[in-house]
Amino acid sequence: MRRLAQLLLLAPVLMLAGCFTSEVELIGARDARRAMPPGEYTHTPFDTEGVEWGGVTWQGRIDYGFFSRRYTSDTPNFPHQNSRLRRLSGDIHIGQWPREDGIGYGIVFIYEDMTTYHQPDCHILTAEQLAAAGITRDPEGFCTIETLDQLEQVIRTYLELLDGDVRIDGIYRRVR
């Protein structure tokens, strides 16, 4: 039980460690899409080697607001409360969620009964690639993004650079 409590505390920290950020939401309700069907889910974070951490750390119902276009749960400690998704291509989406110090972004892969996500690391991108998207790294190493076009461009560049070798940082499995 103690390990589970530790993992529940760490899961949101890991998700906040992503370094693509903005001060305001770039994916508004008009740009958001319902990609993940509402239902009962489990959440399992993965370590940096792509191995599940001790199993399920959260389970509950995830709903999608018709007007807000946000994913929410009434179950406490939902790691991605008030998140939105924007389709990039095929089953690949950009995920957006509120952080204590702004807005965070990740890459989300939608499958029939599961959703996986990856926290991008802007350090993988060269200064030239960031400059081409109009993005600079701040002193802490975060890449602050100002427009939805910049976000889409930098995520596409990031995915092209990884060429399909994308580490999974967590998974939501639909159980009902």
Side-chain angles (χ1 to χ4, degrees), residues 42-46 52-58 117 169-173:
T42 62
H43 174 259
T44 306
F46 282 46
E52 288 186 27
W53 281 16
V56 172
T57 60
W58 179 87
Y117 62 88
D169 293 312
I171 185 169
Y172 285 95
R173 287 184 179 91

Short mmCIF file of all heavy atoms in Angstrom, two decimals, residues 42-46 52-58 117 169-173:
data_model
loop_
_atom_site.label_atom_id
_atom_site.label_comp_id
_atom_site.label_asym_id
_atom_site.label_seq_id
_atom_site.Cartn_x
_atom_site.Cartn_y
_atom_site.Cartn_z
N THR A 42 -7.78 2.04 -16.15
CA THR A 42 -6.67 1.95 -15.19
C THR A 42 -5.52 2.75 -15.78
O THR A 42 -5.42 2.92 -17.00
CB THR A 42 -6.21 0.49 -14.96
OG1 THR A 42 -5.74 -0.04 -16.20
CG2 THR A 42 -7.32 -0.35 -14.38
N HIS A 43 -4.66 3.26 -14.91
CA HIS A 43 -3.47 4.01 -15.34
C HIS A 43 -2.23 3.35 -14.75
O HIS A 43 -2.20 3.04 -13.57
CB HIS A 43 -3.55 5.46 -14.88
CG HIS A 43 -2.29 6.22 -15.19
ND1 HIS A 43 -1.33 6.47 -14.23
CD2 HIS A 43 -1.84 6.76 -16.33
CE1 HIS A 43 -0.33 7.14 -14.79
NE2 HIS A 43 -0.63 7.32 -16.07
N THR A 44 -1.24 3.13 -15.60
CA THR A 44 0.02 2.56 -15.17
C THR A 44 1.15 3.41 -15.74
O THR A 44 1.28 3.51 -16.96
CB THR A 44 0.18 1.11 -15.67
OG1 THR A 44 -0.95 0.35 -15.26
CG2 THR A 44 1.45 0.48 -15.13
N PRO A 45 1.96 4.03 -14.90
CA PRO A 45 3.13 4.76 -15.41
C PRO A 45 4.25 3.79 -15.76
O PRO A 45 4.32 2.68 -15.22
CB PRO A 45 3.53 5.67 -14.24
CG PRO A 45 2.98 5.01 -13.03
CD PRO A 45 1.78 4.21 -13.46
N PHE A 46 5.10 4.20 -16.68
CA PHE A 46 6.26 3.41 -17.09
C PHE A 46 7.52 4.15 -16.66
O PHE A 46 7.53 5.37 -16.57
CB PHE A 46 6.29 3.26 -18.61
CG PHE A 46 5.32 2.24 -19.15
CD1 PHE A 46 4.00 2.18 -18.74
CD2 PHE A 46 5.74 1.33 -20.11
CE1 PHE A 46 3.12 1.24 -19.24
CE2 PHE A 46 4.87 0.40 -20.63
CZ PHE A 46 3.56 0.34 -20.20
N GLU A 52 6.71 -1.12 -16.92
CA GLU A 52 5.65 -0.69 -16.01
C GLU A 52 6.17 -0.62 -14.58
O GLU A 52 6.92 -1.49 -14.14
CB GLU A 52 4.48 -1.67 -16.06
CG GLU A 52 3.69 -1.58 -17.33
CD GLU A 52 2.44 -2.44 -17.30
OE1 GLU A 52 1.90 -2.70 -16.20
OE2 GLU A 52 2.00 -2.85 -18.38
N TRP A 53 5.78 0.42 -13.86
CA TRP A 53 6.14 0.59 -12.45
C TRP A 53 5.13 -0.12 -11.58
O TRP A 53 4.04 0.38 -11.37
CB TRP A 53 6.07 2.05 -12.07
CG TRP A 53 7.21 2.87 -12.46
CD1 TRP A 53 8.20 2.60 -13.36
CD2 TRP A 53 7.50 4.16 -11.95
NE1 TRP A 53 9.05 3.62 -13.45
CE2 TRP A 53 8.64 4.61 -12.59
CE3 TRP A 53 6.89 4.98 -11.02
CZ2 TRP A 53 9.21 5.84 -12.32
CZ3 TRP A 53 7.44 6.21 -10.76
CH2 TRP A 53 8.59 6.62 -11.41
N GLY A 54 5.43 -1.25 -11.07
CA GLY A 54 4.62 -1.90 -10.04
C GLY A 54 3.12 -1.98 -10.30
O GLY A 54 2.36 -2.13 -9.36
N GLY A 55 2.67 -1.87 -11.51
CA GLY A 55 1.26 -2.04 -11.81
C GLY A 55 0.43 -0.77 -11.77
O GLY A 55 0.93 0.34 -11.84
N VAL A 56 -0.86 -0.97 -11.64
CA VAL A 56 -1.86 0.11 -11.71
C VAL A 56 -1.68 1.07 -10.53
O VAL A 56 -1.56 0.66 -9.39
CB VAL A 56 -3.27 -0.49 -11.70
CG1 VAL A 56 -4.33 0.58 -11.58
CG2 VAL A 56 -3.49 -1.34 -12.96
N THR A 57 -1.66 2.37 -10.84
CA THR A 57 -1.56 3.40 -9.79
C THR A 57 -2.83 4.22 -9.66
O THR A 57 -2.95 5.01 -8.73
CB THR A 57 -0.39 4.35 -10.07
OG1 THR A 57 -0.61 5.00 -11.33
CG2 THR A 57 0.93 3.62 -10.06
N TRP A 58 -3.75 4.06 -10.61
CA TRP A 58 -5.02 4.80 -10.55
C TRP A 58 -6.06 4.00 -11.31
O TRP A 58 -5.76 3.37 -12.33
CB TRP A 58 -4.87 6.18 -11.18
CG TRP A 58 -6.12 7.00 -11.18
CD1 TRP A 58 -6.56 7.82 -10.18
CD2 TRP A 58 -7.12 7.07 -12.20
NE1 TRP A 58 -7.77 8.38 -10.51
CE2 TRP A 58 -8.14 7.94 -11.75
CE3 TRP A 58 -7.27 6.46 -13.44
CZ2 TRP A 58 -9.27 8.23 -12.50
CZ3 TRP A 58 -8.40 6.74 -14.19
CH2 TRP A 58 -9.38 7.62 -13.72
N TYR A 117 0.92 7.39 -23.64
CA TYR A 117 1.42 8.74 -23.79
C TYR A 117 2.93 8.78 -23.60
O TYR A 117 3.54 7.92 -22.99
CB TYR A 117 0.72 9.72 -22.84
CG TYR A 117 0.92 9.41 -21.37
CD1 TYR A 117 2.01 9.92 -20.67
CD2 TYR A 117 0.01 8.62 -20.69
CE1 TYR A 117 2.19 9.64 -19.33
CE2 TYR A 117 0.17 8.34 -19.35
CZ TYR A 117 1.27 8.85 -18.68
OH TYR A 117 1.46 8.58 -17.35
N ASP A 169 5.58 6.52 -21.64
CA ASP A 169 5.71 6.95 -20.25
C ASP A 169 4.52 6.54 -19.38
O ASP A 169 4.58 6.63 -18.17
CB ASP A 169 5.90 8.47 -20.17
CG ASP A 169 7.23 8.87 -20.76
OD1 ASP A 169 8.25 8.24 -20.41
OD2 ASP A 169 7.26 9.80 -21.58
N GLY A 170 3.45 6.11 -20.02
CA GLY A 170 2.30 5.65 -19.26
C GLY A 170 1.22 5.12 -20.19
O GLY A 170 1.24 5.36 -21.39
N ILE A 171 0.30 4.39 -19.58
CA ILE A 171 -0.77 3.77 -20.36
C ILE A 171 -2.07 3.81 -19.58
O ILE A 171 -2.09 3.60 -18.37
CB ILE A 171 -0.38 2.32 -20.74
CG1 ILE A 171 -1.41 1.69 -21.66
CG2 ILE A 171 -0.17 1.46 -19.50
CD1 ILE A 171 -0.93 0.38 -22.27
N TYR A 172 -3.14 4.11 -20.30
CA TYR A 172 -4.50 3.99 -19.78
C TYR A 172 -5.12 2.80 -20.50
O TYR A 172 -5.17 2.77 -21.72
CB TYR A 172 -5.33 5.25 -20.07
CG TYR A 172 -4.99 6.41 -19.19
CD1 TYR A 172 -4.08 7.38 -19.60
CD2 TYR A 172 -5.58 6.55 -17.94
CE1 TYR A 172 -3.77 8.46 -18.78
CE2 TYR A 172 -5.28 7.63 -17.13
CZ TYR A 172 -4.37 8.56 -17.55
OH TYR A 172 -4.06 9.63 -16.74
N ARG A 173 -5.60 1.83 -19.71
CA ARG A 173 -6.27 0.67 -20.28
C ARG A 173 -7.77 0.76 -19.94
O ARG A 173 -8.14 0.95 -18.79
CB ARG A 173 -5.71 -0.61 -19.70
CG ARG A 173 -4.34 -0.95 -20.22
CD ARG A 173 -3.87 -2.30 -19.67
NE ARG A 173 -2.56 -2.63 -20.18
CZ ARG A 173 -1.42 -2.31 -19.60
NH1 ARG A 173 -1.42 -1.64 -18.45
NH2 ARG A 173 -0.26 -2.64 -20.13
#
